[in-house]
Amino acid sequence: MAGIGPWRMRVHPQGNGADQGTHLSVFLELQDAMWAPEAVKYKLTAVNQADASKSLSRAFTSKFCIDASVWGPAKLIELSVLRDAATGWLVNETLVLTADVTVEHEDRFELDKGASSILLPMCCQFV
């Protein structure tokens, strides 16, 4: 996993969940649960190193919060295609992944020392 700021890319080289063993799974993860952006537009890309025009991207808009801090495609690319040397995905056993992230609106919640409660966005409320 690699990350900058409150974000990191979570990669499951052998897939995740029902897609384990069949696909590469890649997710964008919010590391700081108290940082709750209103909406996030992001694009996760597997770069084809032999031919950049064949790179594979998936774009999303998601709402990240405490109970939904990881989003992305469980099926970014089939492992059989990824491992085929002729396809250009792996060069010297290296796969290049990128993440472009745009925060639509950012809310930071700080609890005032004298306050007894805090308002959180709907998906982040505690039950």
Side-chain angles (χ1 to χ4, degrees):
M1 290 179 274
I4 294 177
W7 306 104
R8 70 178 168 188
M9 191 180 299
R10 181 180 291 248
V11 179
H12 296 267
Q14 299 298 319
N16 186 47
D19 303 304
Q20 195 163 7
T22 63
H23 288 79
L24 174 74
S25 299
V26 180
F27 303 96
L28 183 65
E29 180 175 18
L30 176 62
Q31 296 182 91
D32 183 354
M34 290 307 293
W35 192 77
E38 191 70 22
V40 177
K41 289 185 178 182
Y42 58 101
K43 180 172 68 170
L44 302 173
T45 302
V47 178
N48 187 299
Q49 298 177 71
D51 183 352
S53 69
K54 293 182 179 177
S55 294
L56 181 61
S57 295
R58 297 279 197 276
F60 303 90
T61 299
S62 299
K63 187 171 186 172
F64 288 78
C65 60
I66 293 168
D67 60 346
S69 63
V70 180
W71 293 95
K75 296 180 178 182
L76 183 62
I77 188 169
E78 285 185 50
L79 293 177
S80 60
V81 173
L82 182 67
R83 293 178 181 140
D84 183 349
T87 62
W89 295 102
L90 289 172
V91 174
N92 296 325
E93 298 185 21
T94 301
L95 173 66
V96 177
L97 297 170
T98 65
D100 297 311
V101 180
T102 302
V103 176
E104 293 293 304
H105 181 265
E106 170 183 322
D107 290 326
R108 290 190 181 268
F109 302 100
E110 295 181 23
L111 186 59
D112 183 37
K113 292 190 186 270
S116 60
S117 64
I118 185 172
L119 293 175
L120 297 173
M122 196 57 142
C123 79
C124 297
Q125 289 185 358
F126 298 100
V127 179

